[in-house]
Amino acid sequence: MAATNKGTTLAPLHKIASGGELSRFMLAMKVALAKVKSTPTLIFDEIDTGTGGAVADAIGKRLAALGSSHQVLVVTHLPQVAAFGAHHLRVIKEEKKGATATRVESLSVTERTEELARMLAGAEITREARLAAQKLLQAV
């Protein structure tokens, strides 16, 4: 049971929360439970769905704080969240001979900046996107 807005009554979470709100509830629960139960690895798959901007920044900060005491793996499409990671992996899907193959690359500092710029700008990475990516990394 939860109330997602001030002044509303408690109701079953699955009936009142959006996808983004459910993600944030899950993050809050994992943060709270991590303090009482020894869980060595926490995995978050798109915990930031339906968020952006300042909320994404807050999620990134909480995930980074969890990373100081746990191994935290995060799947995200948001550069604001990805910038907080101690390491950055890129998952690449490629079609080869009619089949899809997936590979994972560990990114260097330079590659990481370029990937964050790509996440910000899309297909055409601009100078401004690169500067914004560098700023994100400097801010964490």
Side-chain angles (χ1 to χ4, degrees):
M1 302 288 279
T4 57
N5 293 298
K6 188 175 183 176
T8 60
T9 59
L10 291 174
L13 186 59
H14 72 279
K15 291 190 177 205
I16 61 164
S18 68
E21 288 169 328
L22 285 172
S23 294
R24 290 183 291 283
F25 269 108
M26 181 60 70
L27 175 59
M29 289 180 65
K30 285 190 177 189
V31 167
L33 292 174
K35 293 177 183 175
V36 295
K37 184 178 179 195
S38 177
T39 306
T41 303
L42 299 169
I43 301 171
F44 297 92
D45 185 6
E46 298 189 26
I47 194 76
D48 49 16
T49 298
T51 69
V55 172
D57 185 66
I59 290 170
K61 285 177 182 170
R62 283 169 181 77
L63 291 168
L66 273 177
S68 67
S69 58
H70 297 77
Q71 179 181 22
V72 178
L73 303 173
V74 179
V75 176
T76 184
H77 296 278
L78 294 179
Q80 297 94 329
V81 173
F84 280 95
H87 303 280
H88 193 136
L89 305 173
R90 176 174 46 211
V91 178
I92 299 168
K93 285 186 174 184
E94 299 172 314
E95 190 177 319
K96 292 181 180 180
K97 298 179 184 175
T100 302
T102 304
R103 63 187 168 92
V104 179
E105 296 177 339
S106 180
L107 303 181
S108 69
V109 174
T110 303
E111 292 168 326
R112 184 177 188 193
T113 303
E114 196 69 6
E115 180 64 9
L116 289 174
R118 186 198 61 76
M119 293 169 79
L120 286 162
E124 185 181 335
I125 301 172
T126 63
R127 178 182 174 278
E128 292 79 13
R130 285 184 181 97
L131 290 172
Q134 290 169 355
K135 189 169 184 171
L136 278 175
L137 289 169
Q138 290 169 355
V140 295

